[in-house]
Amino acid sequence: MSAQNSSYQHKLKQAADWCALLHSDAPTDEDIQAHHQWLNLHPDNQKAYDELTALWGEFNTPDTGLNGRVLNNVLDNKPPKRHGAAKAFLSIALFSGFGLLLNHLGFSGITADHYTLKGQTQTITLQDGSVITLNAQTQIDVEFNDQNRLIRLHQGEVHIDATTNPSWPLVVQTQDTSATALGTSFSVKARGQDTYVVVTESKVKLCYLPQNNCVTGKQGEAMEVEDRYLTGPYPTNPSIRLAWLNHRLVANDISLTVLLESLEAHYPGILMYQSTELSHIRVSGVYPTDNIELAMKMLASDPTIKHQSVANHLHFISLK
């Protein structure tokens, strides 16, 4: 990051603090005077404050999940001694795209044995020689015992190249499923209570544990447990489903909202958009997950989509 961008991001954070204070219904005359003095210190201060104020107005809707009335109620319902904490919450909300900062960065679950945050992937080699690649925002625990090699997937997606040992199976366990390697290469994705498996080599057995129901898929097939229902195996294209291994995301006539939700996990910055406004827009293409600027340019080539960015960190997507 250039020094210029870093300096401007610092001014954006200061502007977020001022927005938080001045929207709190409790600014004093001294606060207002200090705010004017800060604006006059540097032209970028006014620019940053204007941008944050405009965003406040643009995203002050129920669809963002955090509107001005709710934020002001947070401040109003706290005793005076807690005003600073509420102001800090509002400032974080402004600068973090109206989301909780820890969730935005993907810090939930960092007590796991291995984890990745937003915008990260990681490849690890286990003691048996098996290789696991973690997609963004993924958490796993690893437990080797006499019965099996157990990978607990709490969240996210992994691709595994497993060493073959029929007497010591490798099992990936999610909340309600287990995927047992009957060969060497496969992926498992956990999203809430749902589990998705793609077999890239040999075979994998997927079991839905509450019903003790299992199916086996082979190379080029997928299986899933979605809404408590086990389906598959069915043919799939692993190179498309696992394009994230090559820092790509393949969209084939999907909702723009779904695409943005997928891109968010791969980008450490902030994407801001209104889901209901964009959900009816359909998109197709191969989008880079390691170059958000290029991905946004590709989206903005659609004549109906508008993209704006602030300091290459905040990205706003809306309809023209």
Side-chain angles (χ1 to χ4, degrees), residues 4-320:
Q4 182 178 4
N5 278 346
S6 177
S7 174
Y8 190 63
Q9 286 195 24
H10 178 66
K11 294 182 187 303
L12 282 171
K13 292 178 181 179
Q14 291 179 325
D17 286 336
W18 284 115
C19 284
L21 176 61
L22 298 179
H23 283 83
S24 69
D25 290 339
T28 65
D29 291 340
E30 290 78 9
D31 291 332
I32 295 173
Q33 183 178 0
H35 173 242
H36 286 302
Q37 291 175 346
W38 176 79
L39 289 176
N40 292 327
L41 284 176
H42 195 281
D44 280 349
N45 290 355
Q46 182 71 61
K47 178 183 176 183
Y49 183 74
D50 288 345
E51 288 177 335
L52 266 295
T53 302
L55 291 176
W56 176 277
E58 181 176 349
F59 287 87
N60 183 20
T61 68
D63 195 41
T64 63
L66 191 61
N67 57 43
R69 179 180 58 81
V70 172
L71 291 170
N72 287 334
N73 284 342
V74 169
L75 294 168
D76 291 341
N77 291 336
K78 299 296 183 182
K81 66 179 181 179
R82 296 295 301 277
H83 176 79
K87 170 179 169 290
F89 167 80
L90 178 53
S91 176
I92 289 173
L94 276 167
F95 194 69
S96 299
F98 303 116
L100 294 177
L101 186 58
L102 292 182
N103 286 338
H104 160 70
L105 293 174
F107 281 127
S108 60
I110 62 174
T111 57
D113 292 342
H114 304 279
Y115 63 88
T116 52
L117 304 180
K118 286 189 63 176
Q120 297 180 343
T121 58
Q122 181 184 9
T123 299
I124 59 175
T125 301
L126 303 182
Q127 65 189 58
D128 69 329
S130 297
V131 177
I132 302 182
T133 301
L134 285 71
N135 202 351
Q137 290 187 295
T138 296
Q139 295 96 37
I140 64 171
D141 286 322
V142 179
E143 178 186 333
F144 282 12
N145 54 50
D146 293 338
Q147 286 73 42
N148 56 36
R149 297 166 286 171
L150 181 61
I151 312 297
R152 289 192 175 90
L153 176 60
H154 302 291
Q155 172 184 309
E157 183 174 14
V158 294
H159 182 267
I160 301 176
D161 289 310
T163 56
T164 303
N165 188 339
S167 63
W168 198 28
L170 188 146
V171 180
V172 179
Q173 190 173 84
T174 66
Q175 181 174 333
D176 290 323
T177 71
S178 66
T180 303
L182 304 177
T184 55
S185 186
F186 65 106
S187 73
V188 182
K189 180 178 181 179
R191 186 173 62 190
Q193 292 185 325
D194 299 335
T195 301
Y196 306 86
V197 175
V198 175
V199 186
T200 50
E201 189 174 329
S202 195
K203 297 179 180 180
V204 174
K205 181 172 71 172
L206 175 65
C207 295
Y208 181 43
L209 301 177
Q211 297 179 0
N212 196 27
N213 189 15
C214 301
V215 294
T216 298
K218 63 180 185 296
Q219 180 175 338
E221 292 183 334
M223 304 162 286
E224 62 192 45
V225 173
E226 191 171 53
D227 295 329
R228 302 178 181 178
Y229 187 72
L230 175 63
T231 59
Y234 56 86
T236 192
N237 188 333
S239 63
I240 292 178
R241 296 280 293 268
L242 303 178
W244 62 269
L245 291 168
N246 296 310
H247 307 291
R248 296 291 183 269
L249 196 156
V250 180
N252 183 16
D253 190 33
I254 65 173
S255 165
L256 176 55
T257 297
V258 173
L259 175 64
L260 292 174
E261 288 173 351
S262 299
L263 284 174
E264 277 186 297
H266 298 279
Y267 177 51
I270 301 163
L271 303 184
M272 293 185 67
Y273 54 93
Q274 295 186 9
S275 298
T276 55
E277 178 189 44
L278 304 180
S279 60
H280 70 284
I281 303 296
R282 312 298 294 184
V283 292
S284 298
V286 180
Y287 298 87
T289 59
D290 57 351
N291 188 336
I292 192 65
E293 288 78 15
L294 178 57
M296 292 298 104
K297 286 181 180 178
M298 293 173 63
L299 286 176
S301 66
D302 186 311
T304 65
I305 299 174
K306 178 181 179 181
H307 166 247
Q308 295 174 294
S309 65
V310 178
N312 269 339
H313 187 75
L314 301 172
H315 292 264
F316 310 98
I317 303 95
S318 60
L319 295 181
K320 289 183 179 177

